Structures are given as structure tokens and as C-alpha cells.
Amino acid sequence: VNFDNFEAIIDKMGGIDIDMSAEVAEEENRNMGSNLHEGVNHLDGRLALYYARIRATDSDFGRTGRQRQVVEAMISRMKELNPVEFSKLMYDYLPFVETNLSDGDLLALAAMAPAIMNYEMETMAVPNIDTYEDQTIQGSGMVLVPDLPENCRLLREFLYGQESLDL
């Protein structure tokens, strides 16, 4: 999904609700001519894309957190739809998505969606908090040097649960 299609998908959903800080709202207002405030705001596709891409207010970790927040809001919005609306939405969105899945694969996934949508959503960032060091590499700039074994352990725990750590 490219940026234009991302905006179009959110617009077709009727927008999404995003809880934002005063600093991020001010940044978006300054650059997008919007009138947002601290707290929950209803964003159209254009404002949601900008929100997901803001870098000026914090860090890349903040930006990726906002991206996850937007995707979670999209999924929450889809959960509000009845099966007929959901099917129409899937049909409308498919032209915006490039995939190597066959039409049959997509139909099978769409049929599973109502059951999957009831699962609790959990996210994790890699590298995880306090599992990397900031370093400056001569001629390259600032980089993150992750503690790879610890990040692998945390990811396994996140995906498979505590009992998988005994392997």
C-alpha cells in the first residue's frame, strides 16, 4: 500500500480516531493547517498519514509507535462493521493492495476475519526498550547497536510465551 492508497483506505473507512499529545497536535496543525487538540481527534486519510510520519516531535521510536497506533485504529474501526459492510470494505480495498496472495487465499482470509478480529491485539518494538546502545560511526552517523541475543529472547517470549524460553 503506497501513501496515496493509505489515505484512500482511511477515507473509505470514514476516518479513524487517534489519541494524541498536545505537542503532536500542534506540530500537525502547524504543517497541515488542521485544528487538532490534545486528546482524541478524528482524522481523515491525509491527516492520519501525516500523523504516522511525524518525526519532529520526538524520535523514530515515537514515529513507529504512531504508525502502530494508526494501524490499530484502522483495525478497531473495521471491528465496528457488520459482516456485509466488512465484505464490501474488503472488496473496495483490494485494488489498493499489492500482494502475491491469490484471490482464493484472500477470500479465505476474509472469511476468517470476523473470528480473528476478536483476538486481543498486542505489539512489540524491536529493538526493545533498554536493549540497544546509541553509537556514532565515523563517516556513517548515529546508529543503534542492539543486544541481539536479548532482542531475540524477548521476541521469542512475545511470540511463543514464557515456556518457549526453556528450549
Side-chain angles (χ1 to χ4, degrees):
V1 175
N2 65 26
F3 289 155
D4 292 335
N5 293 340
F6 182 82
E7 287 183 25
I9 289 170
I10 291 175
D11 287 340
K12 279 187 167 284
M13 298 175 87
I16 56 174
D17 293 329
I18 295 290
D19 190 6
M20 63 178 65
S21 69
E23 184 181 22
V24 170
E26 289 170 19
E27 174 72 14
E28 188 143 350
N29 291 339
R30 186 172 34 261
N31 289 295
M32 300 300 287
S34 52
N35 189 25
L36 305 174
H37 55 83
E38 181 177 12
V40 177
N41 292 274
H42 190 75
L43 305 182
D44 63 13
R46 183 180 71 91
L47 295 178
L49 177 62
Y50 187 80
Y51 176 77
R53 299 187 69 209
I54 292 174
R55 292 176 187 247
T57 58
D58 46 28
S59 67
D60 193 51
F61 290 111
R63 182 178 61 90
T64 59
R66 284 186 290 281
Q67 291 169 353
R68 284 190 304 276
Q69 185 185 11
V70 167
V71 170
E72 289 173 14
M74 293 171 73
I75 291 169
S76 293
R77 176 71 183 103
M78 285 186 223
K79 287 180 178 183
E80 297 170 3
L81 304 174
N82 67 46
V84 172
E85 291 171 321
F86 186 80
S87 296
K88 182 179 181 335
L89 193 65
M90 293 302 293
Y91 180 79
D92 288 345
Y93 289 167
L94 286 179
F96 296 115
V97 177
E98 281 186 39
T99 180
N100 62 353
L101 296 174
S102 70
D103 289 348
D105 293 337
L106 293 171
L107 287 172
L109 288 172
M112 292 171 36
I116 293 171
M117 292 292 211
N118 291 325
Y119 292 153
E120 182 179 334
M121 195 177 341
E122 297 179 42
T123 65
M124 177 186 166
V126 176
N128 210 289
I129 296 169
D130 297 328
T131 63
Y132 62 89
E133 293 180 18
D134 290 313
Q135 289 187 4
T136 301
I137 306 295
Q138 192 69 20
S140 296
M142 292 186 69
V143 297
L144 297 181
V145 178
D147 178 340
L148 192 56
E150 180 63 4
N151 277 282
C152 288
R153 184 192 71 75
L154 291 168
L155 183 58
R156 275 191 307 277
E157 181 180 332
F158 177 78
L159 293 173
Y160 304 111
Q162 187 70 28
E163 63 277 357
S164 70
L165 298 177
D166 298 332
L167 298 175

